[in-house]
Amino acid sequence: MSPEAFEKPIGFQDVTPTLARKKREVEARLSHVFSSWGYQEVMTPMLEYAETVGKASAISEDKMFRLIGQEKAMLVLRPDQTAPIARMVNSILQHEPLPLRLFYHASVFRTQEQAAGRRAELYQTGVELVGEPGVKADAELLALAITALQACQTSKFRLVVGHVELLAGLLASVCSSQKKQTQLTNYLIKRDYVGFEALLHQLENKEGVAEILQLCRGLDKKEYLEPLLSHSSTQVVKAAKQLIRIWDILADYGYASYITVDIRLLGNIDYYTGMYLEGFADGVGFAILSGGRYDQLYGQFGRSLPATGFAFRMNNLLDTCNIDMMETKQTTLFYPTPLRKTAIAKAKELRDAGYIVVLQIDDEQTDLVWRET
Amino acid sequence: MELLTIAMPKGRIYEEALEILADAGVPVPDDLTKETRKLILTAPEAQLAFFLAKPMDVATYVEYGVADLGIVGKDVLLEESRNVYELLDLQISPCRVSVAGLPDKKTVNGRIATKYPSIAEKYFRSIGEQVEVVKLNGSIELAPLIGLADRIVDIVSTGQTLRENGLIELETITTVTSRLIANRASYQLKYKRINQFYDQLKQHIERRGSRDEDRQSE
């Protein structure tokens, strides 16, 4: 039978021993960093109800794997980890003191339109900080992400930060038509900056448009945001204040240089409510992490709580971690059958001393023989 | 200075893309302007590397980050929906994506031949017409002549190819020009370099635009 006959479903991948070792190593380093910052690991089921967690998820329903559960309810394969954690926090963890600091290592599942090469199972390691509003929490997350990336020896990296309210406020200040604001936002979602600028240039408030375009550059110092503090829109002032404070806090960590603000950066606009972030590293064309503040989600699980979080996209992160995986040498211990008991004892002795030992019967031998293989 | 890698499209847009880079003062390697079989060319003093690719593949190379920037027709971006930043309209190689067919022919099989199945699918759905889209990779004009399809969806610039084959342009789906696109990670990591490159091209395009206007008003 050719392997084709027993191949796996499209979008799913096996993990080879070498990659599995690297993945475990990176996960261990991330766990270590998260734990040392007071975050605790949680695990949730791989299946959830479509009606509850499925609906609350930031992932659109057409991207979920669906199946029918034994009580005939529609189930989904966990499309993200944030919604299941919200369910958990508002049920079995509801009496825990807030804020809660949680982390996870999990696979999430998404059907892919463009089949070739796109993954349906994505490995994620992430954190959620629940019950803490405001910039302190947002800044903690950014600092945690940077510390974690350093611990994984990530190549040169950068976190890009946007703010839902800042963008909305800026667009509203140059354009009163709700329809045009949506159009502008849609261009940004499609990452079509040509369309975005062309539509801006049609607007009448030339001064406001020029100001927005001026902000559409890599803003790598908080000074670039300071003029916004005297903006006519209170929404803009508030969001700019938050970003500046986040930057100040990160400066105390010594992390200010890892941050760029991009006012055009948008995540799922129905989901994120404040700061939004994505991380990029040399050598990988895709984001290695994303996240932000989502203060609306918990209300869907019966108790409204402010929350902020991010997840590393492990498939991308692993490509950029320069961790030298030491090839540990393996020793094979050959023994003749009558010496089995001695061989087992010897193997234990060697393993206790840190060797990797494989036992191998070899009746041609008269005594124990071991060598590196 | 960081190295910037730029994916250039072979074919229709190539000459004009090269010209706009050269005119904007981007040091273009001599070999790029000549007939060459080399696939990768560099301008080491400017820290630029160029490679040539099929237009449909340019967006793919950029999405995966093997090229930081690319020059590509809007038609490709509409067709491929790649996850890249569309930075600048270079205003070169203007053309239309249009529906064309034989004159006075009634629709019989509702079949559309095209290199752009996704654009065609979306367009006919938006006007509420049921069609069967057949993907071809070239010589699309042949399809109505030999009865594979009633109509085609293809790029039209002067309309000469259509006329030579006795076809007429029926509807314009959209007009397209070439765009400068950027990989998402490159754009955020090499923003200084890319913004500089962007400004250089943009200023040139604006200068050229105002020159054209002057000429028209004379």
Side-chain angles (χ1 to χ4, degrees), chain A residues 251-372:
Chain A
D252 288 344
Y253 281 95
Y255 287 165
S257 63
Y258 288 104
I259 305 289
T260 320
V261 166
D262 186 339
I263 60 156
R264 296 165 297 181
L265 191 73
L266 273 178
N268 180 335
I269 48 163
D270 298 323
Y271 188 79
Y272 291 105
T273 56
M275 176 201 76
Y276 175 72
L277 81 139
E278 288 186 357
F280 296 94
D282 249 3
V284 182
F286 302 91
I288 53 172
L289 75 99
S290 63
R293 176 161 288 283
Y294 55 98
D295 289 346
Q296 301 296 336
L297 176 71
Y298 274 74
Q300 298 184 52
F301 293 98
R303 175 173 60 155
S304 201
L305 288 175
T308 179
F310 68 80
F312 287 112
R313 302 175 184 175
M314 295 300 279
N315 308 75
N316 297 338
L317 178 62
L318 288 176
D319 280 346
T320 184
C321 294
N322 303 307
I323 295 173
D324 248 344
M325 295 305 292
M326 293 270 282
E327 283 293 330
T328 323
K329 293 222 173 69
Q330 187 173 301
T331 303
T332 305
L333 176 62
F334 299 92
Y335 66 94
T337 312
L339 290 183
R340 186 166 59 216
K341 200 171 171 186
T342 331
I344 290 170
K346 183 70 194 172
K348 181 176 186 306
E349 183 192 316
L350 288 169
R351 285 172 186 145
D352 287 347
Y355 290 90
I356 294 169
V357 183
V358 173
L359 278 171
Q360 175 78 53
I361 297 180
D362 183 354
D363 280 326
E364 311 235 308
Q365 308 290 348
T366 52
D367 202 353
L368 303 183
V369 178
W370 62 91
R371 58 172 176 266
E372 275 182 3

Side-chain angles (χ1 to χ4, degrees), chain A residues 191 193 217 220 264 278, chain B residues 83 85 184 187 191 199:
Chain A
R191 306 197 173 82
Y193 293 169
R217 316 276 294 183
D220 52 7
R264 296 165 297 181
E278 288 186 357
Chain B
N83 192 346
Y85 287 122
R184 296 189 57 207
Y187 186 65
Y191 56 93
D199 289 341

Side-chain angles (χ1 to χ4, degrees), chain A residues 114 118 156-158 160 191-194 197 217-218 220 262 264 278 280-282 284-286, chain B residues 2 63 74 80 82-88 179 183-185 187-189 191-192 198-199 202:
Chain A
Q114 286 163 298
R118 306 271 173 170
K156 194 186 114 187
F157 65 87
R158 183 160 278 282
V160 187
R191 306 197 173 82
D192 178 359
Y193 293 169
V194 173
E197 284 188 27
R217 316 276 294 183
D220 52 7
D262 186 339
R264 296 165 297 181
E278 288 186 357
F280 296 94
D282 249 3
V284 182
F286 302 91
Chain B
E2 294 157 306
E63 181 182 34
K74 178 74 179 173
E80 295 271 295
R82 291 282 166 189
N83 192 346
V84 295
Y85 287 122
E86 192 177 324
L87 296 184
L88 184 60
R179 305 289 156 100
N183 171 261
R184 296 189 57 207
Y187 186 65
Q188 300 295 359
L189 291 168
Y191 56 93
K192 283 196 181 124
Y198 167 94
D199 289 341
K202 186 167 185 178

